[in-house]
PDB file of all heavy atoms in Angstrom:
ATOM      1  N   ALA A  80     -34.941 -37.691  21.234  1.00 90.00           N
ATOM      2  CA  ALA A  80     -35.301 -38.266  19.950  1.00 90.00           C
ATOM      3  C   ALA A  80     -35.801 -37.286  18.970  1.00 90.00           C
ATOM      4  O   ALA A  80     -35.708 -37.416  17.731  1.00 90.00           O
ATOM      5  CB  ALA A  80     -35.975 -39.496  19.978  1.00 90.00           C
ATOM      6  N   GLY A  81     -36.515 -36.244  19.553  1.00 91.00           N
ATOM      7  CA  GLY A  81     -37.128 -35.212  18.782  1.00 91.00           C
ATOM      8  C   GLY A  81     -36.042 -34.420  17.958  1.00 91.00           C
ATOM      9  O   GLY A  81     -36.215 -34.177  16.728  1.00 91.00           O
ATOM     10  N   PHE A  82     -34.918 -34.114  18.534  1.00 94.00           N
ATOM     11  CA  PHE A  82     -33.846 -33.450  17.861  1.00 94.00           C
ATOM     12  C   PHE A  82     -33.133 -34.344  16.821  1.00 94.00           C
ATOM     13  O   PHE A  82     -32.634 -34.060  15.834  1.00 94.00           O
ATOM     14  CB  PHE A  82     -32.834 -32.896  18.883  1.00 94.00           C
ATOM     15  CG  PHE A  82     -33.485 -32.047  19.897  1.00 94.00           C
ATOM     16  CD1 PHE A  82     -33.480 -32.473  21.222  1.00 94.00           C
ATOM     17  CD2 PHE A  82     -34.221 -30.911  19.604  1.00 94.00           C
ATOM     18  CE1 PHE A  82     -34.215 -31.642  22.226  1.00 94.00           C
ATOM     19  CE2 PHE A  82     -34.799 -30.100  20.576  1.00 94.00           C
ATOM     20  CZ  PHE A  82     -34.830 -30.505  21.888  1.00 94.00           C
ATOM     21  N   PHE A  83     -32.942 -35.642  17.385  1.00 94.00           N
ATOM     22  CA  PHE A  83     -32.349 -36.701  16.419  1.00 94.00           C
ATOM     23  C   PHE A  83     -33.193 -36.793  15.159  1.00 94.00           C
ATOM     24  O   PHE A  83     -32.738 -36.807  14.072  1.00 94.00           O
ATOM     25  CB  PHE A  83     -32.393 -38.017  17.188  1.00 94.00           C
ATOM     26  CG  PHE A  83     -31.731 -39.157  16.427  1.00 94.00           C
ATOM     27  CD1 PHE A  83     -30.426 -39.422  16.322  1.00 94.00           C
ATOM     28  CD2 PHE A  83     -32.659 -40.042  15.710  1.00 94.00           C
ATOM     29  CE1 PHE A  83     -29.877 -40.494  15.658  1.00 94.00           C
ATOM     30  CE2 PHE A  83     -32.101 -41.129  15.008  1.00 94.00           C
ATOM     31  CZ  PHE A  83     -30.722 -41.252  15.002  1.00 94.00           C
ATOM     32  N   GLY A  84     -34.564 -36.884  15.378  1.00 92.00           N
ATOM     33  CA  GLY A  84     -35.440 -37.002  14.344  1.00 92.00           C
ATOM     34  C   GLY A  84     -35.423 -35.824  13.388  1.00 92.00           C
ATOM     35  O   GLY A  84     -35.499 -35.847  12.025  1.00 92.00           O
ATOM     36  N   LEU A  85     -35.406 -34.629  13.912  1.00 94.00           N
ATOM     37  CA  LEU A  85     -35.357 -33.292  13.222  1.00 94.00           C
ATOM     38  C   LEU A  85     -34.101 -33.313  12.302  1.00 94.00           C
ATOM     39  O   LEU A  85     -34.219 -32.923  11.094  1.00 94.00           O
ATOM     40  CB  LEU A  85     -35.201 -32.114  14.063  1.00 94.00           C
ATOM     41  CG  LEU A  85     -36.586 -31.712  14.777  1.00 94.00           C
ATOM     42  CD1 LEU A  85     -36.431 -30.561  15.685  1.00 94.00           C
ATOM     43  CD2 LEU A  85     -37.599 -31.293  13.578  1.00 94.00           C
ATOM     44  N   GLY A  86     -32.943 -33.691  12.841  1.00 93.00           N
ATOM     45  CA  GLY A  86     -31.678 -33.738  11.986  1.00 93.00           C
ATOM     46  C   GLY A  86     -31.884 -34.791  10.867  1.00 93.00           C
ATOM     47  O   GLY A  86     -31.402 -34.631   9.754  1.00 93.00           O
ATOM     48  N   ALA A  87     -32.404 -35.905  11.176  1.00 93.00           N
ATOM     49  CA  ALA A  87     -32.657 -36.904  10.202  1.00 93.00           C
ATOM     50  C   ALA A  87     -33.516 -36.487   9.003  1.00 93.00           C
ATOM     51  O   ALA A  87     -33.244 -36.811   7.902  1.00 93.00           O
ATOM     52  CB  ALA A  87     -33.235 -38.307  10.792  1.00 93.00           C
ATOM     53  N   TYR A  88     -34.700 -35.860   9.417  1.00 93.00           N
ATOM     54  CA  TYR A  88     -35.566 -35.477   8.380  1.00 93.00           C
ATOM     55  C   TYR A  88     -35.102 -34.354   7.516  1.00 93.00           C
ATOM     56  O   TYR A  88     -35.305 -34.240   6.349  1.00 93.00           O
ATOM     57  CB  TYR A  88     -36.934 -35.015   8.978  1.00 93.00           C
ATOM     58  CG  TYR A  88     -37.863 -36.274   9.207  1.00 93.00           C
ATOM     59  CD1 TYR A  88     -38.125 -36.724  10.457  1.00 93.00           C
ATOM     60  CD2 TYR A  88     -38.438 -36.861   8.064  1.00 93.00           C
ATOM     61  CE1 TYR A  88     -39.028 -37.802  10.684  1.00 93.00           C
ATOM     62  CE2 TYR A  88     -39.320 -38.040   8.222  1.00 93.00           C
ATOM     63  CZ  TYR A  88     -39.556 -38.413   9.506  1.00 93.00           C
ATOM     64  OH  TYR A  88     -40.400 -39.482   9.771  1.00 93.00           O
ATOM     65  N   THR A  89     -34.324 -33.441   8.221  1.00 93.00           N
ATOM     66  CA  THR A  89     -33.772 -32.318   7.543  1.00 93.00           C
ATOM     67  C   THR A  89     -32.767 -32.782   6.366  1.00 93.00           C
ATOM     68  O   THR A  89     -32.901 -32.372   5.222  1.00 93.00           O
ATOM     69  CB  THR A  89     -33.036 -31.359   8.432  1.00 93.00           C
ATOM     70  OG1 THR A  89     -33.979 -30.811   9.317  1.00 93.00           O
ATOM     71  CG2 THR A  89     -32.333 -30.221   7.633  1.00 93.00           C
ATOM     72  N   ALA A  90     -31.808 -33.612   6.824  1.00 92.00           N
ATOM     73  CA  ALA A  90     -30.815 -34.294   5.867  1.00 92.00           C
ATOM     74  C   ALA A  90     -31.468 -35.110   4.805  1.00 92.00           C
ATOM     75  O   ALA A  90     -31.145 -35.064   3.559  1.00 92.00           O
ATOM     76  CB  ALA A  90     -29.802 -35.062   6.590  1.00 92.00           C
ATOM     77  N   GLY A  91     -32.449 -35.843   5.188  1.00 91.00           N
ATOM     78  CA  GLY A  91     -33.247 -36.694   4.385  1.00 91.00           C
ATOM     79  C   GLY A  91     -33.961 -36.016   3.324  1.00 91.00           C
ATOM     80  O   GLY A  91     -34.031 -36.329   2.157  1.00 91.00           O
ATOM     81  N   LEU A  92     -34.767 -34.944   3.731  1.00 92.00           N
ATOM     82  CA  LEU A  92     -35.624 -34.139   2.811  1.00 92.00           C
ATOM     83  C   LEU A  92     -34.709 -33.521   1.781  1.00 92.00           C
ATOM     84  O   LEU A  92     -35.033 -33.176   0.666  1.00 92.00           O
ATOM     85  CB  LEU A  92     -36.368 -33.121   3.624  1.00 92.00           C
ATOM     86  CG  LEU A  92     -37.625 -33.773   4.324  1.00 92.00           C
ATOM     87  CD1 LEU A  92     -38.327 -32.885   5.239  1.00 92.00           C
ATOM     88  CD2 LEU A  92     -38.632 -34.375   3.307  1.00 92.00           C
ATOM     89  N   LEU A  93     -33.545 -32.845   2.252  1.00 91.00           N
ATOM     90  CA  LEU A  93     -32.719 -32.219   1.367  1.00 91.00           C
ATOM     91  C   LEU A  93     -32.148 -33.152   0.230  1.00 91.00           C
ATOM     92  O   LEU A  93     -32.209 -32.869  -0.933  1.00 91.00           O
ATOM     93  CB  LEU A  93     -31.434 -31.613   2.125  1.00 91.00           C
ATOM     94  CG  LEU A  93     -31.660 -30.302   2.984  1.00 91.00           C
ATOM     95  CD1 LEU A  93     -30.521 -30.032   3.698  1.00 91.00           C
ATOM     96  CD2 LEU A  93     -32.152 -29.155   1.998  1.00 91.00           C
ATOM     97  N   ALA A  94     -31.803 -34.408   0.696  1.00 89.00           N
ATOM     98  CA  ALA A  94     -31.311 -35.356  -0.316  1.00 89.00           C
ATOM     99  C   ALA A  94     -32.412 -35.820  -1.289  1.00 89.00           C
ATOM    100  O   ALA A  94     -32.234 -36.015  -2.425  1.00 89.00           O
ATOM    101  CB  ALA A  94     -30.651 -36.477   0.443  1.00 89.00           C
ATOM    102  N   ALA A  95     -33.552 -36.037  -0.661  1.00 88.00           N
ATOM    103  CA  ALA A  95     -34.657 -36.465  -1.430  1.00 88.00           C
ATOM    104  C   ALA A  95     -35.260 -35.338  -2.486  1.00 88.00           C
ATOM    105  O   ALA A  95     -35.860 -35.795  -3.550  1.00 88.00           O
ATOM    106  CB  ALA A  95     -35.903 -36.826  -0.506  1.00 88.00           C
TER     107      ALA A  95
END
Side-chain angles (χ1 to χ4, degrees):
F82 308 116
F83 181 86
L85 282 175
Y88 275 111
T89 299
L92 285 170
L93 285 175

